[in-house]
Amino acid sequence: MRISPDHPRLRVIALCCWIVGGWCFTQAGILVGDISVLLNVSLILLSSFCFAVGIGFWLLGTDHRAGVVLDPKGLMLNLGQSAAFVSWDNIAEIASTQRRSSLLALGSTQQIGIRLHDIDSYLQSYEPRLPASHGFFAQLLRALRSQLARQDHVPSYKQLTRFRHRTGFDLIIPEAQLGGRAEAFVELIEIYRYNPRQRRELRFIHG
């Protein structure tokens, strides 16, 4: 069973980021005064940041290879910026949470938190990737790949341990990347883990 991200919502988030970025950019040319230089520079930097975040969300919103695959062995997580596998036996706890782990949580009121039995097996399957998208933004992002390489890395055991202490989970996935409500996804996972006979009858509830 494959669950696709909420592509329209991701694209709306991208448009909102661009609107905020455009507003900041226009305001930078209006401000005058003794501290105008500092404020203008700050607004231009904020504008650039918003545009970059918007590009990231737009690519996620057009990446039709992204999604979560549920099979008899576990979860295949292809989340646009990374891919990894989590077996059913490796899931110690899964629940909806309001905790946020990154900017990817923008536009999502709830997230899915997963606590693992064995972090090492997850790390061995982890693979950084860029969204599989086409067009101008995709080419721009690939052109900046050398700059992004510093961020495209496999998280370490130490980093995930700190993340668990901070959030209570090893993985947090925004519901916008799950195509529906976080609570419904938790119910779906529980059925897949403990009631294999009902898998064919499942219908993921979009919220």
Side-chain angles (χ1 to χ4, degrees), residues 28-50:
I30 296 175
L31 294 175
V32 294
D34 294 336
I35 60 173
S36 62
V37 174
L38 179 60
L39 288 176
N40 285 338
V41 170
S42 299
L43 285 171
I44 290 174
L45 291 175
L46 180 58
S47 173
S48 300
F49 177 75
C50 290

Side-chain angles (χ1 to χ4, degrees), residues 122-128 151-157 159:
Y122 166 76
L123 291 175
Q124 291 173 4
S125 70
Y126 188 96
E127 179 182 355
Q151 300 178 6
D152 284 352
H153 67 282
V154 177
S156 66
Y157 183 93
Q159 287 174 325

Side-chain angles (χ1 to χ4, degrees), residues 63-134:
D63 184 359
H64 293 289
R65 293 197 314 192
V68 179
V69 176
L70 292 77
D71 65 25
K73 295 182 179 180
L75 292 172
M76 182 63 205
L77 305 173
N78 186 349
L79 302 177
Q81 77 283 358
S82 66
F85 178 76
V86 178
S87 66
W88 298 125
D89 293 338
N90 196 23
I91 297 178
E93 179 187 359
I94 182 167
S96 61
T97 177
Q98 292 185 340
R99 292 184 178 272
R100 297 171 180 268
S101 60
S102 69
L103 288 172
L104 293 176
L106 288 174
S108 297
T109 56
Q110 293 283 332
Q111 281 65 239
I112 294 294
I114 301 177
R115 190 180 179 99
L116 304 173
H117 288 296
D118 182 13
I119 294 177
D120 287 330
S121 63
Y122 166 76
L123 291 175
Q124 291 173 4
S125 70
Y126 188 96
E127 179 182 355
R129 64 183 290 269
L130 289 175
S133 301
H134 303 283

